[in-house]
Amino acid sequence: MRATRKQILHFQDTLLPDFPVLQMQAKVVANETAVAITTAAIEFAIGSGYRRSHPIKRYLRDAMSGQLMA
């Protein structure tokens, strides 16, 4: 998570010609971090995160869909 924050802050004020590429790289790193964190949360919850009463399932679904959109 620190690496994601560091990369985003580094490229935030950058006006380089390849800024769109750097922006996409930051989005991919952030999305991979989100997937890793939500997967760990599901494992930590020992399957109860799949219930509708827990928002972890929704967070995981949103993180997984980010891979398709990034």
Side-chain angles (χ1 to χ4, degrees), residues 5-38:
R5 182 176 292 138
K6 182 179 176 183
Q7 188 175 19
I8 290 171
L9 291 176
H10 176 70
F11 297 131
Q12 184 177 12
D13 297 325
T14 305
L15 296 175
L16 299 174
D18 58 346
F19 179 72
V21 174
L22 299 174
Q23 182 183 19
M24 289 304 293
Q25 288 176 348
K27 286 175 69 174
V28 168
V29 170
N31 184 262
E32 289 174 353
T33 304
V35 170
I37 290 171
T38 53

Side-chain angles (χ1 to χ4, degrees), residues 28-63:
V28 168
V29 170
N31 184 262
E32 289 174 353
T33 304
V35 170
I37 290 171
T38 53
T39 302
I42 290 284
E43 291 174 2
F44 182 74
I46 311 172
S48 66
Y50 285 111
R51 294 187 307 180
R52 288 187 179 263
S53 62
H54 286 217
I56 301 172
K57 179 180 175 182
R58 182 179 43 139
Y59 297 150
L60 179 63
R61 185 184 65 229
D62 292 345

